[in-house]
Amino acid sequence: MFRKLFIISLILLTSLSLAQNERNLRAGGYARVYSMGMNPYIVDLDNIKTNPAYGGQFSNMIWGDIGSSAASPYDGTGQFAGFNYRINKMISVGALLTRNDFQSLSIGKLDPGGLVAAINSVPGVTVIPLDNNLELMGSFNFDKLTLGIGIAYASTNDETKPATGSGTKNNASQIGINAGLLFNLSNTMNIDAALSLIMPSASYEPASGSKVDASQTFIMFDARMFMKMTSKLSLVPVVNFMTASGSIEAGGTTTDMTSYSQIGVGVGMHYQVGDLLIAGGPSLLIKSYTSPAVPNSSPELTSSQLVFPNWNLGAEFWFTDWLIGRLGYMAHTEQNTSESMATLTTKNEHTYTSFGTPDVRVGIGLRFGGFSLDATVNDDVLRQGLNLIGGGTPTLAYISASYAIP
């Protein structure tokens, strides 16, 4: 029996080795980026979420996340499904079906500012939260320039129609639009950039009384440049910007929601030699939150964060044609400033330093022909050793999967 199992295993491993003469590079996903320290200095399948122009580079694929085992009303947090298909040399199309626990901030992310929760905080208002977001995208290849565009939409509604009298009506919706480009400036310089717009809204119309409306707008911009310094080393400057604002109208009064803005700049390296990839570097983030003044209650209050240095480091090594190992590291220092009300016309200010908990991450990648599975390894698996036998510790913390059609 043992001999038969050994022979079967040998045949399978030999088949896999023969099938992997050409490595499958159309792979990756959130689990790969996460296990490499949320690295913004690498090119990955996950980049399609914010820049649809990458759909042309990662075409003829089925991909998605199996997610994590963290607490969730679903079977695995962060699950989604998508595909990209190349119609011809110039045009590729794709789609993503995401849920309200989507892990990436893009037009696939539902209600990123908690608008429905904010309108439901108004006494008597109940609006059904958004879920099941559908995103459609396309990319257009013009030799050295690739353009992409995506659009996403989700909605809910709840309406009562009594036999007599007036009923209630509530609804929520979100539309997202993004556009991106990949531009090959020269043999040593490439640019990718993307602009996203997310617009959630919600309303509640009671049987009697005034209607309640709420809306938000998110604008996001990301850009980076890969500047090849040598055949192995590239410098990767990145810049990103985001702003968010919204308002709630109830009882004839419009109240602004807390507004948010963020700008970030960083410079990292992308070093690849043979089977080894090392990428990472520091960045600076400036975040600002503004709470509007409330008449006869509180003045306008602001808080801000200066995050520097913010480290995102990662390494990846191909042990074999079908097994990849990954390491990542994240850490940051923050200078925080916040205001609190002293009187209706004066404010207290508090400035302090805080630190993000340094986080070492471990990941693996498996490649079997066109099938790819990428996962972040649960740290406890490495710490507990033999204690895992008969234990209940999950082995993998987050899983992404894809299949690249030959």
Side-chain angles (χ1 to χ4, degrees):
M1 181 65 179
F2 177 79
R3 180 178 294 180
K4 290 182 179 179
L5 290 175
F6 176 77
I7 294 173
I8 292 172
S9 300
L10 185 62
I11 292 173
L12 288 174
L13 288 174
T14 303
S15 300
L16 288 172
S17 178
L18 292 173
Q20 289 292 96
N21 290 331
E22 183 177 348
R23 285 179 175 172
N24 175 21
L25 300 179
R26 286 182 293 150
Y30 183 82
R32 177 176 182 252
V33 175
Y34 183 91
S35 63
M36 294 183 70
M38 294 305 296
N39 210 303
Y41 307 107
I42 61 175
V43 173
D44 187 87
L45 173 63
D46 195 69
N47 297 149
I48 296 176
K49 296 174 182 176
T50 53
N51 189 339
Y54 273 106
Q57 184 170 326
F58 295 93
S59 59
N60 293 341
M61 294 189 64
I62 301 170
W63 62 295
D65 284 358
I66 300 173
S68 74
S69 57
S72 170
Y74 306 105
D75 180 17
T77 299
Q79 293 181 347
F80 76 91
F83 77 90
N84 304 315
Y85 176 70
R86 174 169 291 174
I87 295 177
N88 54 42
K89 185 177 180 180
M90 179 181 176
I91 301 174
S92 296
V93 297
L96 291 179
L97 183 61
T98 65
R99 307 185 314 204
N100 59 21
D101 60 349
F102 192 58
Q103 298 295 302
S104 303
L105 183 55
S106 67
I107 63 173
K109 179 76 171 178
L110 284 166
D111 197 5
L115 180 71
V116 173
I119 193 174
N120 283 341
S121 67
V122 177
V125 174
T126 302
V127 175
I128 299 174
L130 293 166
D131 207 344
N132 290 338
N133 189 37
L134 175 62
E135 177 181 347
L136 303 176
M137 65 189 80
S139 64
F140 309 89
N141 180 24
F142 303 97
D143 193 16
K144 293 185 178 182
L145 174 66
T146 301
L147 301 177
I149 187 169
I151 184 168
Y153 182 76
S155 66
T156 65
N157 69 84
D158 182 8
E159 184 176 359
T160 62
K161 295 181 179 180
T164 59
S166 300
T168 61
K169 181 188 299 185
N170 75 73
N171 61 76
S173 64
Q174 176 177 301
I175 185 168
I177 302 171
N178 64 3
L181 64 84
L182 306 177
F183 188 26
N184 184 10
L185 285 173
S186 66
N187 292 332
T188 60
M189 193 173 297
N190 297 304
I191 291 176
D192 70 43
L195 179 66
S196 302
L197 179 66
I198 304 175
M199 296 175 289
S201 62
S203 67
Y204 179 82
E205 189 173 342
S208 61
S210 59
K211 184 179 179 181
V212 182
D213 282 305
S215 63
Q216 274 185 307
T217 301
F218 292 79
I219 301 174
M220 298 176 291
F221 174 77
D222 300 274
R224 59 184 179 175
M225 178 184 295
F226 290 84
M227 305 167 58
K228 185 171 288 188
M229 311 304 292
T230 69
S231 60
K232 302 178 180 67
L233 176 66
S234 296
L235 288 182
V236 189
V238 300
V239 61
N240 58 75
F241 171 78
M242 185 177 79
T243 181
S245 60
S247 63
I248 298 177
E249 182 180 351
T253 301
T254 299
T255 303
D256 290 332
M257 300 175 65
T258 299
S259 60
Y260 170 77
S261 63
Q262 171 183 308
I263 185 168
V265 293
V267 178
M269 73 168 187
H270 185 283
Y271 178 78
Q272 186 157 17
V273 53
D275 295 324
L276 175 66
L277 167 63
I278 299 174
S283 60
L284 179 148
L285 299 175
I286 299 174
K287 304 177 182 181
S288 177
Y289 305 82
T290 302
S291 299
V294 179
N296 302 318
S297 178
S298 68
E300 180 180 274
L301 300 174
T302 63
S303 62
S304 62
Q305 295 174 322
L306 173 64
V307 184
F308 183 80
N310 180 49
W311 291 101
N312 301 91
L313 307 173
E316 179 178 74
F317 183 77
W318 289 71
F319 293 109
T320 69
D321 285 342
W322 60 272
L323 178 61
I324 309 166
R326 301 188 181 104
L327 287 172
Y329 182 79
M330 292 183 65
H332 68 262
T333 302
E334 296 181 2
Q335 189 72 14
N336 303 275
T337 301
S338 60
E339 294 179 343
S340 60
M341 183 181 71
T343 68
L344 288 177
T345 57
T346 60
K347 309 171 188 177
N348 301 316
E349 186 174 282
H350 180 206
T351 301
Y352 60 97
T353 301
S354 64
F355 303 92
T357 303
D359 188 12
V360 174
R361 297 172 178 180
V362 179
I364 60 170
L366 303 176
R367 302 287 184 266
F368 302 120
F371 176 75
S372 302
L373 188 144
D374 295 276
T376 303
V377 177
N378 186 351
D379 296 351
D380 286 340
V381 170
L382 304 179
R383 298 188 186 96
Q384 294 193 21
L386 295 176
N387 188 48
L388 291 173
I389 300 175
T393 302
T395 303
L396 304 177
Y398 198 92
I399 304 174
S400 299
S402 64
Y403 182 78
I405 302 170

